[in-house]
Amino acid sequence: MKKIVIIGTSCSGKSTLAVKLSKILKFDHIELDELHWLPNWQEREDTEFCRLVDSKTSGDSWVVSGNYSASRDILWDKADTIIWLNYPFTLIFYRALVRCFVRASTRQKLFAGNVETFRHSFLSKESILLWVLKTYHANKRKYLKLLNSGMTKNKQVFIFKKQNQLDQYLSNLTPK
């Protein structure tokens, strides 16, 4: 396990897990949102984004968090391990609510200096809450189909449906 991709719906905890794994295993952490977003919530062009992803994952050991279909072929081809955080909708939506409230109230700087506001989080068409509502079930079907395809041949695949399963997995990892 040297090249790990973490997938899951928005607000499933991909970045949190990637940070934990990168510390335990002493691997680089690559956050796809950092490569994708430009200032003022502008999206980077797919070709440039994929070039950055390819470059950042040229090393021997890394943990990638994020779900951008534009970079999936690059990442999954290089990865030896795929972790799917396949949590129930109620947990994901709760996490999305908490995340929106915390980020908006603290004005936490995110990727490229962007900030989520209460208006953006709760009253916008670009709200992550609305995004979770619209994409959760479709993404679960998509990930299941992808993981059952030939893309995961010769890869370790871990699917966690409950937080305690992930906690047990993490407790069994030996720091490198």
Side-chain angles (χ1 to χ4, degrees), residues 86-105:
N86 183 16
Y87 296 142
F89 176 78
T90 52
L91 177 61
I92 299 298
F93 196 75
Y94 171 77
R95 286 180 174 181
L97 277 170
V98 170
R99 185 173 101 173
C100 285
F101 184 78
V102 168
R103 284 182 175 180
S105 62

Side-chain angles (χ1 to χ4, degrees), residues 115-174:
V115 175
E116 291 180 5
T117 63
F118 280 103
R119 169 177 264 156
H120 186 262
S121 296
F122 295 99
L123 303 172
S124 164
K125 291 178 187 176
E126 290 84 31
S127 163
I128 191 70
L129 298 172
L130 188 56
W131 180 255
V132 167
L133 286 170
K134 290 195 299 191
T135 64
Y136 175 83
H137 295 289
N139 281 339
K140 282 186 68 131
R141 288 188 299 272
K142 177 177 65 179
Y143 300 144
L144 184 59
K145 186 176 179 180
L146 286 166
L147 290 174
N148 286 323
S149 74
M151 292 181 77
T152 58
K153 188 176 181 181
N154 301 320
K155 299 185 188 314
Q156 285 187 311
V157 176
F158 297 94
I159 301 172
F160 299 108
K161 294 183 177 185
K162 296 180 181 180
Q163 185 65 46
N164 64 347
Q165 293 172 326
L166 176 60
D167 294 341
Q168 181 65 43
Y169 169 79
L170 290 172
S171 70
N172 290 329
L173 286 180
T174 306

Side-chain angles (χ1 to χ4, degrees), residues 11-166:
C11 302
S12 61
K14 298 178 297 293
S15 298
T16 301
L17 175 57
V19 168
K20 286 179 185 177
L21 282 175
S22 67
K23 285 181 181 175
I24 292 169
L25 301 171
K26 303 204 182 340
F27 290 179
D28 291 335
H29 170 222
I30 301 161
E31 173 65 62
L32 293 184
D33 283 336
E34 288 180 7
L35 304 178
H36 179 77
W37 292 106
L38 297 168
N40 299 314
W41 294 109
Q42 297 300 306
E43 296 181 76
R44 190 178 304 276
E45 296 274 335
D46 281 351
T47 52
E48 176 65 9
F49 171 65
C50 288
R51 188 193 65 71
L52 287 170
V53 169
D54 191 42
S55 173
K56 291 282 189 180
T57 57
S58 63
D60 293 333
S61 55
W62 41 260
V63 181
V64 171
S65 55
N67 294 318
Y68 290 92
S69 57
S71 63
R72 184 178 301 122
D73 289 344
I74 296 166
L75 291 170
W76 287 34
D77 185 52
K78 292 181 177 188
D80 57 44
T81 305
I82 298 174
I83 298 173
W84 179 18
L85 300 180
N86 183 16
Y87 296 142
F89 176 78
T90 52
L91 177 61
I92 299 298
F93 196 75
Y94 171 77
R95 286 180 174 181
L97 277 170
V98 170
R99 185 173 101 173
C100 285
F101 184 78
V102 168
R103 284 182 175 180
S105 62
T106 63
R107 304 209 31 92
Q108 175 185 351
K109 291 224 187 274
L110 301 170
F111 333 103
N114 292 310
V115 175
E116 291 180 5
T117 63
F118 280 103
R119 169 177 264 156
H120 186 262
S121 296
F122 295 99
L123 303 172
S124 164
K125 291 178 187 176
E126 290 84 31
S127 163
I128 191 70
L129 298 172
L130 188 56
W131 180 255
V132 167
L133 286 170
K134 290 195 299 191
T135 64
Y136 175 83
H137 295 289
N139 281 339
K140 282 186 68 131
R141 288 188 299 272
K142 177 177 65 179
Y143 300 144
L144 184 59
K145 186 176 179 180
L146 286 166
L147 290 174
N148 286 323
S149 74
M151 292 181 77
T152 58
K153 188 176 181 181
N154 301 320
K155 299 185 188 314
Q156 285 187 311
V157 176
F158 297 94
I159 301 172
F160 299 108
K161 294 183 177 185
K162 296 180 181 180
Q163 185 65 46
N164 64 347
Q165 293 172 326
L166 176 60

